[in-house]
Amino acid sequence: MSAPRIRPGGPADTPAVLAMFDSAVAWLAASGRTGQWGSAPFTGNPQRTRQVAAWAAGGGMRIAEVGGEPAACIVVGAAHDYVPAATEPELYVQGLVADRRFTGHGAGRALLDWAAGEARERDAGLLRVDCYAGGDGRLVAYYEGCGFTRVAPFTVGEWPGMLLQRRLT
């Protein structure tokens, strides 16, 4: 299996990224895990489409391709306003999603490693991400397996989250 190829994302990638989210939502919903993103597809949802389109136009999107097909997407930039501000230079993972068809190809991990390299290039010693912390905790464990450590739990309304960080020194 060859390593995923990472390329910049842009507005033309919006439908593919929405499809990645649709794939992830369908997989989560099929296993009764709707707490993260619900059970409705992102495609056709105006709010979700606006968010992905803004990410695509913002310059921080990267796409991991496997066999020439978009397999996963990461968006980096400033931290979300619902987490505490960092006390040092950082790069923040605003979003990460993978198409379930490409499970096991390492696309998500490759994108997180790209983000760590990007943070270093920007002289940031910290890469942070937040994720859904409810249910079985598998998503938090995934990030821990990628070198992140827990910083603090938080909630947005009823949604339980976990802030994690990866030191880059």
Side-chain angles (χ1 to χ4, degrees), residues 101-126:
R101 295 178 300 147
F102 297 97
T103 297
H105 286 86
R109 186 177 296 269
L111 286 168
L112 289 169
D113 289 343
W114 169 85
E118 181 69 12
R120 284 186 198 97
E121 285 183 23
R122 296 181 186 194
D123 293 323
L126 189 64

Side-chain angles (χ1 to χ4, degrees), residues 24-103:
V25 167
W27 176 75
L28 288 166
S31 56
R33 296 167 38 206
T34 58
Q36 182 175 347
W37 289 323
S39 59
F42 277 36
T43 300
N45 178 317
Q47 180 181 357
R48 299 289 198 183
T49 300
R50 279 191 301 275
Q51 177 63 67
V52 172
W55 282 342
M61 178 183 280
R62 295 297 180 273
I63 304 292
E65 293 182 340
V66 172
E69 291 189 60
C73 172
I74 195 168
V75 181
V76 296
H80 296 298
D81 60 3
Y82 53 78
V83 297
T87 58
E88 63 188 273
E90 72 165 340
L91 187 61
Y92 201 89
V93 176
Q94 297 174 339
L96 176 68
V97 65
D99 187 316
R100 295 301 302 171
R101 295 178 300 147
F102 297 97
T103 297

